[in-house]
Structure formats: structure tokens, C-alpha cells
Amino acid sequence: MIKRLLLLIVISISFVNCKTTKEKTIEKPNILFIMTDDHALSAISAYNGFLAKVAPTPNIDRIANEGILFKNMLCTNAICGPSRASILTGNYSHINGFYKNEGGGDFNENQQTFPKLFQKAGYKTAVIGKWHLGTAPTGFDYYKVLFNKEGQGSYYNPVFETTGNKLVKEEGKYSTTVIKNNAISWLKKQKDAKEPFMLLYQFKAPHRPWEPGPGYEDYLKDVEIPYPTTFNDDYKGRRAAEEAWMRIDGHMNRKDVKIKPPKSLTEQELIDWNKYGNEDGEFWTPDDSMSDQERKNWKYQRYVKDYLRCVKGVDDAIGEMLNYLDESGLAENTIVVYTSDQGFYVGEHGWFDKRFIYEESLHMPLLMRYPKKIKPGLSSDKLVSNIDFSPTLLDLAGVEVPKNIQGKSFTKLLSNPEEEIRDAVYYHYYEYPYWHHVQPHYGMRTSRYKLIHFYYDMDRWELYDLKKDPNELENIYDKKENVQLVKSLKKRLKILREEVGMNKSLDELRLMTDARIKRRYKVEPAN
Ligand code: CA
């Protein structure tokens, strides 16, 4: 009897073990993390903004139609490299050390990142496309990242660094196409692999200088693009906004709007001619007979059409990738994430670029599809932030989330979009004066309010009630009736700063802005 009982126990244990192993192998999801550069929510039709009808993005929208759309995914430092560093580490800029693009040195590649944790957990990992962190990618079985233009890469003739520090020049090719082809071909190579994959599929587009791909030059040619409601903002009550060099009329250069330079310029003369317009007071007009408003509108139309052409190229590349997932039978067990390193001003407040804590650059698009766990057609307006990507993806893959990650997993929102993950998000921007004279600032976004402190060489606070003033045109910080509100929000901000480990004095923060740490990029190879 005892023997039979023991035998039964042994059999049961082996059965359970066998089942667990088998289930684990089957259950590990693949991860396809798609990220573009500077893609505004208003330029993704799933968000139904002012550009949705004129320039739809059906392929990106498909991810949300078959999954979930996040309306409040917020960046913690709205500039390329720092946002990428926060996504990879799950930590704030002041913790991961990469807080500026300009004069902030390179990303410390020896620190913990989510690709490393996935690799350790048995995943095949790769990154293809834009990287922009200086040091070569670590934690990847394969990488091929844009190398030239200090890691920004170029739209045409891009140069990549690939696994083993090799350089690859893609002569005569367009970056979006190269990145798409390389990503699909890497996935094809994983077809018979036993391990699940994690691929970061990252585009340069639609970053400045907004150069459309072959075949996209005439898209929207005869259409007048609508203007955002804040296009002619006067920046009243917002000194930092007024001082920024981000205006479409005042700070866009000739290259931005693709004016053909005169022939016979020397190399240096051509560079100077192209960049003229960047700085305050560098006035130029394509036509002397234009009024101020006509000139601003003209520059906007030139800029926004090229921006949307770059977006269209990306949307098509994503469509091809989604089709490949369908054809190869991978769609069901692959988590697809679409995001951008931060938002962008597509004419809102009369601007281009990003950096500010204001809504358009603070918001990152986020669309996710995972048929096994996410019902189609969901949306969530709960607050999540870019430090939450890492713990969320690890959580979804059943990999333990290390305690030193500041972000929180938002997997709960995938089944219940109304769950609250956080009541407030802390934000901090450090870079000054390059490139756009945006004053360093920190602040907090709650579901209703935004409190901001510009501190570098001004001491200005701003407060917005997003329910009453979603476009942030009226700074209500100094209003008598808001004394109590300001007091309670400042109290929450103080605690939030403690929670994220931000204990630096204003003088220490100014020194971080003033620091000029060189990058170790190799010199761009001569073409
Ligand atoms: Ca960016």
C-alpha cells in the first residue's frame, strides 16, 4: 500500500514538473517593441487628433484596434537619449545618469537594462534601428544601430554599427526601409529557434530634418493641412515658453523647409546657409511679399507635410511587419508595443520640437496588442510613464522584476483599463541652452493638474487645470483662489521628489545643466 502510494506521488510530481516545463515553453511571449523618434499623438489617427482625418495611420491604429490604446503614457524627460535610457533601465535620468543629449556623455552600458534581463531569462534579443546612446548596445544577441551624425543617423545613406563593432554603410538606401528589411529578416532567422525573441524595432523617422522616403515625396502635395487651435499662441503668462527657440516662424532654418541652396557655395558656406534661421533674430523669408501670418503658415505647411510623409513611411513599414507576424503564425504569441521616445509639437503653440512638460511633448503614444491577454478595442486614460515599460514587459514575460527598478508594472491595466497605477508622474528636463533654449524645469502631472517649476536662471512656477484648460494657455499659479490648491500640490510634489530619489539642490541641478561631458563617438567615416 505504502509502495503504491509512493509510486503515485512520484508519478504525480513528474507529471506536474513535466506540465510546468511544457507550459512555460509555450507561454513565454515574444516581444516586438516598436519605437519611433518624435512621433506626436496628434499624428496617429487612433488618437483622433486634428491630423487624424487628413493623414491617417491605419497600420499603427491596427495595434490599438486589436489591443489597447493608452492616452496618458508620459515621458519623464522629453528628449531622445534620456527617454531611451529611462525606457531601458526603468529608472529616472538622475538615477541612470543619462540626463542630457548635449554635453551629458554616454550611456553607462554596464548598468542593468530590460534587454539584459530578457537575455538572462533565455530570450533571443536584438535591436535594429535608432539607438542614440553613445556606447554600443549591450544585452543583445544581435544589434544593428544607426551610427552616423553622432548616433542620430541619417535618412539617406545611413551608416550602422552592427554586432562586433562593425560599420555598415547603406549607400543609396533610406533608413526606414533598411530598418524594416533588417528587422523582418532577423525575425525570419528566428523561425525555428526554441527561444522566444525580444526585438527592439526602432526608427529614426519622423525626427528632424524630416526627409521623406522614396515614393512619399508627393503624399499630401495638394492638401492644406489643418492648423492646431493653439497655432497662434501669444505665450502670455508663460515666460519660459515665450523665450524658447522653437517657433515655426522664428527658429526653423532653410533646410527644415527644404529650400534649395544657391549653387557654387563652399562646404562651410552651405552648412551656414542651411542652418540660417535656427537662432533668435535670424530672419529669413521665402518671399518678401508675404505677411507675417502667411510666412508662418507657409513654413508650417512645408514642415508638417514632410513630417507626415516620414510618418506614412513608418506606418507602411509597421504594416509589413504586422503582416509578417500574421503570415508566420507569430501574431498570437507576440506582444506588440508601439511607442515613440516622446511626443512632439506639430504646430501646437506655434512650435516644432519637444522638451517641455506641456502635454504635446510629455505624452508618448502607446498602443499594445497581445491577443492572449488583451481584448481588442480597449483604451485607458490612467497615468503610466516611460519608466514603467521595463517592469511591465518583464512582468508579462513572467520574469522577476528587480527591486532597483523605479517603474511600476501596468499589466493590470491590460485587463482592467480603469485601475490606477500612479496618481502623479514626476518630470525633469535638464538641457540648456542647446538646442532650443528651453529652461530646465521639473514638475508633476496628475490626472487633473500640472505644476511646473522653471529654475535655471529664472524662478517661475506654472499651474494648469487640464480639465478647464487642456491646451495649457492660462497659468493659474498666481491666482488668489488657488492658494490652497498650490499648497497641496506642492506638498504632493515634494513627496513625489522624495519617492523618486530626487534630493538635489537647485545649485546642484544647475551644475548638471552646465556640465559638458564629451561623448566618445568615433568620427563619422568619410563617404
Ligand atoms: Ca526623440
Side-chain angles (χ1 to χ4, degrees):
M1 181 65 189
I2 292 173
K3 260 189 185 173
R4 279 182 66 190
L5 198 66
L6 273 175
L7 188 68
L8 199 67
I9 290 169
V10 169
I11 290 170
S12 313
I13 289 172
S14 348
F15 181 67
V16 167
N17 277 345
C18 169
K19 200 179 166 195
T20 315
T21 318
K22 201 176 167 194
E23 270 182 0
K24 263 187 190 167
T25 322
I26 296 168
E27 274 180 4
K28 284 279 185 212
N30 300 305
I31 315 269
L32 174 65
F33 182 86
I34 313 170
M35 182 156 70
T36 41
D37 199 338
D38 296 0
H39 195 179
L41 270 64
S42 58
I44 296 174
S45 42
Y47 285 98
N48 211 16
F50 76 102
L51 296 166
K53 284 212 175 88
V54 74
T57 49
N59 295 300
I60 296 173
D61 291 5
R62 197 187 141 189
I63 300 168
N65 293 340
E66 296 170 5
I68 184 165
L69 180 77
F70 286 88
K71 295 179 176 171
N72 283 310
M73 160 52 80
L74 309 182
C75 193
T76 50
N77 184 358
I79 183 158
C80 304
S83 177
R84 287 157 198 267
S86 282
I87 291 169
L88 285 171
T89 59
N91 286 330
Y92 272 92
S93 301
H94 63 277
I95 301 291
N96 69 50
F98 197 84
Y99 59 96
K100 297 193 293 184
N101 267 354
E102 189 72 22
D106 293 322
F107 178 69
N108 172 5
E109 75 275 39
N110 297 317
Q111 64 188 307
Q112 174 183 282
T113 61
F114 78 81
K116 284 186 189 172
L117 294 165
F118 271 97
Q119 200 179 35
K120 250 189 227 165
Y123 272 72
K124 269 284 178 79
T125 59
V127 55
I128 295 168
K130 181 152 173 177
W131 181 245
H132 202 199
L133 291 168
T135 42
T138 49
F140 298 96
D141 296 296
Y142 175 77
Y143 71 84
K144 183 173 178 182
V145 294
L146 284 164
F147 174 82
N148 58 338
K149 308 272 180 201
E150 294 197 327
Q152 287 277 8
S154 50
Y155 279 101
Y156 285 92
N157 308 311
V159 181
F160 290 82
E161 181 177 321
T162 188
T163 323
N165 301 101
K166 288 176 213 144
L167 288 189
V168 183
K169 290 186 200 178
E170 299 283 3
E171 299 276 2
K173 294 185 184 165
Y174 184 66
S175 84
T176 299
T177 316
V178 174
I179 292 163
K180 175 201 71 185
N181 290 341
N182 279 271
I184 293 179
S185 88
W186 184 81
L187 277 188
K188 282 183 178 167
K189 283 184 199 151
Q190 309 312 308
K191 212 177 157 199
D192 300 318
K194 284 177 194 152
E195 309 94 333
F197 67 80
M198 196 216 56
L199 170 63
L200 308 189
Y201 178 35
Q202 307 190 150
F203 295 93
K204 172 186 174 58
H207 192 281
R208 196 182 188 186
W210 316 297
E211 291 172 2
Y216 292 86
E217 301 90 341
D218 290 337
Y219 173 59
L220 301 170
K221 193 180 165 197
D222 301 318
V223 178
E224 190 183 19
I225 307 296
Y227 296 85
T229 52
T230 58
F231 187 62
N232 289 318
D233 189 1
D234 62 3
Y235 314 110
K236 206 176 142 202
R238 288 158 285 146
R239 205 180 113 191
E242 195 181 353
E243 289 185 1
W245 293 7
M246 269 169 51
R247 297 187 198 182
I248 285 173
D249 191 25
H251 308 108
M252 239 177 210
N253 63 41
R254 291 180 176 121
K255 194 182 179 191
D256 287 332
V257 288
K258 318 295 174 345
I259 304 283
K260 276 201 179 131
K263 284 174 187 166
S264 78
L265 293 181
T266 65
E267 203 177 334
Q268 189 55 47
E269 283 170 344
L270 179 63
I271 292 170
D272 293 342
W273 194 92
N274 274 332
K275 73 176 188 190
Y276 190 79
N278 279 346
E279 302 203 356
D280 230 3
E282 288 186 344
F283 175 81
W284 70 271
T285 177
D287 178 349
D288 284 332
S289 68
M290 281 178 170
S291 70
D292 289 354
Q293 190 66 54
E294 282 167 346
R295 187 179 60 244
K296 183 175 174 181
N297 293 359
W298 184 89
K299 288 182 183 176
Y300 169 75
Q301 293 292 333
R302 291 283 283 214
Y303 145 61
V304 79
K305 283 184 187 182
D306 276 343
Y307 179 88
L308 294 171
R309 287 165 186 149
C310 292
V311 167
K312 182 77 174 161
V314 166
D315 189 63
D316 288 342
I318 288 168
E320 279 193 45
M321 177 59 90
L322 294 177
N323 288 343
Y324 175 71
L325 293 183
D326 288 338
E327 289 157 17
S328 57
L330 287 167
E332 186 69 12
N333 196 38
T334 299
I335 298 168
V336 178
V337 177
Y338 181 81
T339 190
S340 170
D341 55 355
Q342 77 282 310
F344 210 67
Y345 298 94
V346 192
E348 294 95 340
H349 301 287
W351 285 337
F352 63 103
D353 213 70
K354 54 253 181 180
R355 298 161 200 266
F356 276 109
I357 189 179
Y358 300 130
E359 293 291 87
E360 293 83 356
S361 45
L362 177 69
H363 278 81
M364 302 159 74
L366 176 58
L367 303 85
M368 281 177 78
R369 184 184 80 177
Y370 182 25
K372 281 188 177 171
K373 289 219 166 140
I374 308 172
K375 285 184 190 155
L378 295 180
S379 81
S380 174
D381 60 4
K382 295 297 166 194
L383 296 177
V384 288
S385 91
N386 64 351
I387 55 171
D388 300 334
F389 278 114
S390 158
T392 302
L393 293 176
L394 291 166
D395 197 15
L396 279 169
V399 182
E400 199 184 338
V401 181
K403 291 207 168 50
N404 60 359
I405 288 181
Q406 292 183 305
K408 292 177 187 173
S409 166
F410 56 81
T411 45
K412 279 193 287 186
L413 287 176
L414 303 179
S415 48
N416 182 5
E418 296 305 314
E419 290 252 4
E420 187 169 277
I421 302 296
R422 37 175 89 252
D423 70 318
V425 171
Y426 180 70
Y427 180 91
H428 206 137
Y429 172 79
Y430 301 85
E431 196 171 299
Y432 189 82
Y434 289 108
W435 286 92
H436 296 281
H437 286 232
V438 172
Q439 279 278 334
H441 56 288
Y442 63 89
M444 172 181 78
R445 164 73 151 82
T446 71
S447 59
R448 178 161 179 184
Y449 297 103
K450 189 180 291 173
L451 182 66
I452 317 169
H453 186 203
F454 294 94
Y455 61 83
Y456 180 74
D457 56 16
M458 61 171 74
D459 180 18
R460 294 271 173 143
W461 286 84
E462 292 181 10
L463 171 64
Y464 298 95
D465 180 344
L466 299 166
K467 196 173 165 190
K468 290 183 185 161
D469 177 25
N471 292 323
E472 300 165 301
L473 295 172
E474 193 188 2
N475 174 15
I476 55 168
Y477 179 82
D478 287 322
K479 291 208 164 183
K480 272 182 195 163
E481 64 266 33
N482 292 326
V483 172
Q484 275 311 311
L485 177 65
V486 165
K487 209 175 156 188
S488 75
L489 287 171
K490 276 192 169 174
K491 197 175 159 192
R492 179 67 189 101
L493 176 59
K494 189 171 179 275
I495 294 167
L496 191 57
R497 279 164 68 89
E498 283 163 14
E499 284 169 5
V500 305
M502 170 44 78
N503 49 16
K504 294 190 190 316
S505 69
L506 291 181
D507 279 341
E508 285 171 318
L509 291 172
R510 288 184 192 108
L511 285 177
M512 286 171 75
T513 292
D514 293 341
R516 293 287 176 265
I517 308 160
K518 276 195 178 173
R519 282 195 163 175
R520 285 174 282 150
Y521 283 118
K522 284 162 261 176
V523 178
E524 182 180 347
N527 281 314

